[in-house]
Amino acid sequence: MAAASLQETFGQKLLRRASAAWYATRLYALTLPRQAPLELPVLPDEAWPGSVANADRLFQGRFVFAGVEVVSPRAAPWGMTAAELKLDAISHAAWAAELHGFRWLRDFVTQGGDMARRMARALVGSWLEKHAMQIQGLPWRADVAGRRLAHWVNAAHFLLDGADDKFAHDFLLAIARHTAHLNHAAKRAQPGLPRFAALLGLVYGTEALGQPQQAVMQALCGALETQILADGGHVSRNPSQLYRLLREIVALWRFLLALDPGRAALLQVFLDRMAPMLRFFRHGDGGLALFHGGQEEVPAQIDQLLDLSDAKGKPLNSATLSGYERALARRGLLLIDTGAMPPMLPDAPPPHRGLLSFEFSHGKDRLIVNCGASRRVSGGWSDALSGSAAHSTITLGQAEPAAAARISATRNEQDGAIWFDLEHDGWWRSHNRLHRRRLFLAAGGEDLRGEETITESPPSANGGMPVEAVLRLHLHPGVHASLIGSGDTVILKSASGQGWRWRGAGGVVRLEDSVYFGHTDNGGADAPRRTQQIVMTGSAGETPLVFKWALSKIG
């Protein structure tokens, strides 16, 4: 499996650190170009729109990245430490990587105008003064330098238009030095996304300088092979990560098409695999499902990406390598997480533990969802949202399911109806329990039923200690819920005004508050929306505990 290639060996880590020490020396700096090119022979246009709102925040000195806002109205906070910002090391590193990665340049490009151009040049110029000649620390980490070079090259038309001779000289020299440096450093970058980012910047740099290298393109494709599974999913199992990576590949592919269709063709296989998988995760409203750190993203931008990718493949029903099932019955869509936890990576958010969680939508109405993910990579919300309680699934006691849980999934179809028999043993070590889940979607797409069974495995002679089981079905913020009757029925009103009835048996039913982190229009900071969740509780003891529930459209 591709994920195995993401683990850095001790020898690779040692070599990377030794290389970083060498890069920081004055002698190494002298090996990099000292003469700026007169021009860049070829340049791409910025492929993707930025955020005018974020450009306005940057004008105000508000630097909002990775869920953290830093206010610095007098100067860019290039060197602010974790202690100064009162952040833990992981959150600070994520914020600083985005700051020094310069993806936000596209926000100024989208805003346009002379003021935005001058502000963008001022920020690039201040970075050059502080960091251009000192190749050390996080600003020059291979992945950060690669992202920065890619975004500089994509924004070069915008930055150089009307620039004075000094800025043009310093900027062009920096592109040449970045490219030469990445020619050494990219192959030493951490495996996975960091190496891809470093190689992506190197490809843009060599192409812009008119020095394309087939070996670099092949290395980039090799890095992608460690990221993209055969069914098109990303090893992180995060739909948003798949979306972001596809954006990078499509932008580069379109740039290369104009230069050398042969080099562009190397990327075609990834477009053909990834675009159908991105369609797999789309709900009827056009946004993405919330699994493993994903957010809804912007439907219009997803449409644009899929159009530009020119990949027409249809989504699979069973993406077994990625660990997902998709059931579409007329307007009803059921998406189920049937895979294992993704690998834990350094300086990354904790993996999500929503084993066998699902989302359900009807038309443009999202009904049952997961809670989503914090933009901040550690602490607080990030830890809470990675737990099983933030997903539409069962929790058992206070324990989280084991990372090495075994999961089985069987799909059945007949006369348009689709149902699944699912099981995981994530609580076998902590509670000697199995969770079996059956989900049934009727052919009309308006009747979803579930059966949750918690059973001992193997049964103990005297019966195991009882443990509380909690079924949580998180509702989208657009849904209003009311508990009625004898307390086992919930009436839902969707965002479009459609009525639904949920009924449960086998446990105590109640409505509780929940949160939703699925939206992306909050400027990069965490902005949870209040919502509700249907909760059913019971005690799993000597005999199996069975919850049964059904969700059906009214009328």
Side-chain angles (χ1 to χ4, degrees):
M1 184 176 173
S5 302
L6 301 180
Q7 302 304 317
E8 190 176 29
T9 68
F10 177 76
Q12 289 173 325
K13 185 180 297 186
L14 197 63
L15 185 58
R16 178 169 54 82
R17 290 177 176 174
S19 298
W22 160 237
Y23 301 148
T25 66
R26 183 174 180 81
L27 183 60
Y28 174 76
L30 292 174
T31 69
L32 301 181
R34 284 176 279 176
Q35 186 172 353
L38 296 177
E39 62 178 3
L40 298 175
V42 291
L43 283 175
D45 292 318
E46 178 58 69
W48 307 116
S51 165
V52 171
N54 195 48
D56 290 339
R57 280 187 286 270
L58 291 167
F59 267 113
Q60 299 164 24
R62 296 166 56 204
F63 297 82
V64 186
F65 308 118
V68 174
E69 179 172 354
V70 174
V71 180
S72 180
R74 297 185 181 276
W78 301 121
M80 293 192 74
T81 65
E84 289 173 321
L85 298 178
K86 298 180 180 178
L87 294 174
D88 61 89
I90 294 178
S91 295
H92 176 262
W95 173 84
E98 289 201 25
L99 173 69
H100 289 275
F102 278 82
R103 182 175 60 183
W104 42 266
L105 274 178
R106 67 170 56 137
D107 300 330
F108 288 116
V109 175
T110 299
Q111 188 175 59
D114 194 50
M115 284 186 62
R117 186 175 282 106
R118 288 203 303 267
M119 181 67 172
R121 277 201 293 258
L123 289 168
V124 172
S126 69
W127 189 94
L128 292 172
E129 289 178 7
K130 187 171 182 63
H131 291 292
M133 304 306 292
Q134 297 177 341
I135 304 173
Q136 59 186 357
L138 182 143
W140 278 97
R141 202 174 70 193
D143 59 316
V144 177
R147 292 190 189 100
R148 181 168 59 248
L149 179 56
H151 292 302
W152 279 3
V153 169
N154 276 280
H157 280 308
F158 179 76
L159 292 167
L160 292 171
D161 184 15
D164 60 42
D165 290 344
K166 182 181 186 311
F167 177 85
H169 172 274
D170 293 349
F171 180 65
L172 293 173
L173 178 59
I175 285 179
R177 289 171 67 85
H178 273 70
T179 303
H181 169 64
L182 286 169
N183 220 4
H184 300 294
K187 60 180 175 289
R188 307 289 187 216
Q190 287 184 327
L193 285 174
R195 187 169 296 170
F196 169 80
L199 288 164
L200 180 70
L202 180 56
V203 170
Y204 273 113
T206 55
E207 295 289 344
L209 291 167
Q211 304 164 357
Q213 300 177 31
Q214 188 71 6
V216 174
M217 274 299 301
Q218 290 172 344
L220 180 74
C221 292
L224 279 172
E225 283 291 355
T226 71
Q227 295 291 292
I228 305 303
L229 302 169
D231 60 13
H234 188 258
V235 292
S236 68
R237 308 192 59 234
N238 179 342
S240 288
Q241 187 59 69
L242 177 69
Y243 164 70
R244 291 190 290 266
L245 194 56
L246 184 57
R247 279 167 63 103
E248 302 282 9
I249 299 169
V250 167
L252 178 62
W253 174 69
R254 291 179 64 83
F255 175 44
L256 293 176
L257 273 178
L259 301 176
D260 184 344
R263 290 202 300 282
L266 295 173
L267 299 175
Q268 186 69 54
V269 63
F270 299 104
L271 303 184
D272 292 340
R273 277 154 57 182
M274 296 169 70
M277 194 63 197
L278 189 64
R279 294 186 179 98
F280 180 103
F281 288 116
R282 298 190 81 181
H283 280 291
D285 60 7
L288 302 180
L290 274 55
F291 293 107
H292 293 283
Q295 294 188 315
E296 290 185 15
E297 306 301 340
V298 181
Q301 293 182 11
I302 300 174
D303 288 338
Q304 181 189 19
L305 173 61
L306 291 170
D307 286 343
L308 292 179
S309 74
D310 202 28
K312 307 302 183 185
K314 294 182 179 180
L316 300 170
N317 289 327
S318 298
T320 52
L321 293 176
S322 293
Y324 290 101
E325 290 286 340
R326 183 177 191 268
L328 179 63
R330 294 192 180 179
R331 301 183 69 205
L333 176 63
L334 174 66
L335 294 169
I336 313 172
D337 181 352
T338 58
M341 281 175 51
M344 181 174 288
L345 301 175
D347 300 330
H352 282 221
R353 295 177 181 266
L355 300 185
L356 303 185
S357 66
F358 74 92
E359 295 199 342
F360 177 70
S361 61
H362 186 267
K364 294 186 177 181
D365 289 331
R366 296 189 190 222
L367 298 173
I368 298 174
V369 296
N370 295 314
C371 291
S374 170
R375 290 174 180 264
R376 187 163 169 172
V377 298
S378 69
W381 281 119
S382 181
D383 292 338
L385 293 168
S386 68
S388 54
H391 299 78
S392 289
T393 188
I394 288 268
T395 60
L396 205 59
Q398 301 301 312
E400 291 288 357
R406 292 177 297 178
I407 301 168
S408 65
T410 303
R411 180 189 185 104
N412 308 276
E413 299 186 42
Q414 184 175 349
D415 299 330
I418 309 165
W419 67 98
F420 301 89
D421 291 300
L422 313 161
E423 180 180 289
H424 80 78
D425 66 354
W427 289 299
W428 181 73
R429 289 189 179 276
S430 61
H431 295 296
N432 191 37
R433 298 296 200 283
L434 294 178
H435 174 204
R436 294 193 178 100
R437 164 168 265 180
R438 301 194 76 194
L439 294 174
F440 170 89
L441 180 61
E446 299 177 351
D447 181 8
L448 175 67
R449 304 175 200 172
E451 182 177 290
E452 321 283 349
T453 303
I454 303 296
T455 184
E456 282 195 288
S457 177
S460 54
N462 300 317
M465 290 292 294
V467 59
E468 183 183 49
V470 182
L471 168 66
R472 290 181 170 86
L473 301 177
H474 297 274
L475 304 176
H476 187 268
V479 176
H480 176 74
S482 302
L483 193 65
I484 65 167
S486 59
D488 61 356
T489 301
V490 179
I491 297 298
L492 309 179
K493 184 179 180 181
S494 71
S496 68
Q498 185 63 56
W500 292 77
R501 179 183 291 107
W502 183 93
R503 289 174 174 158
V508 178
V509 177
R510 61 183 184 272
L511 282 176
E512 293 185 358
D513 291 335
S514 184
V515 292
Y516 186 74
F517 280 74
H519 288 288
T520 55
D521 56 354
N522 53 19
D526 281 339
R529 294 178 63 186
R530 294 184 63 181
T531 186
Q532 296 171 287
Q533 59 179 313
I534 300 172
V535 176
M536 182 184 288
T537 59
S539 180
E542 182 176 356
T543 58
L545 174 67
V546 180
F547 293 150
K548 293 184 178 182
W549 56 268
L551 176 67
S552 57
K553 186 179 175 186
I554 298 174

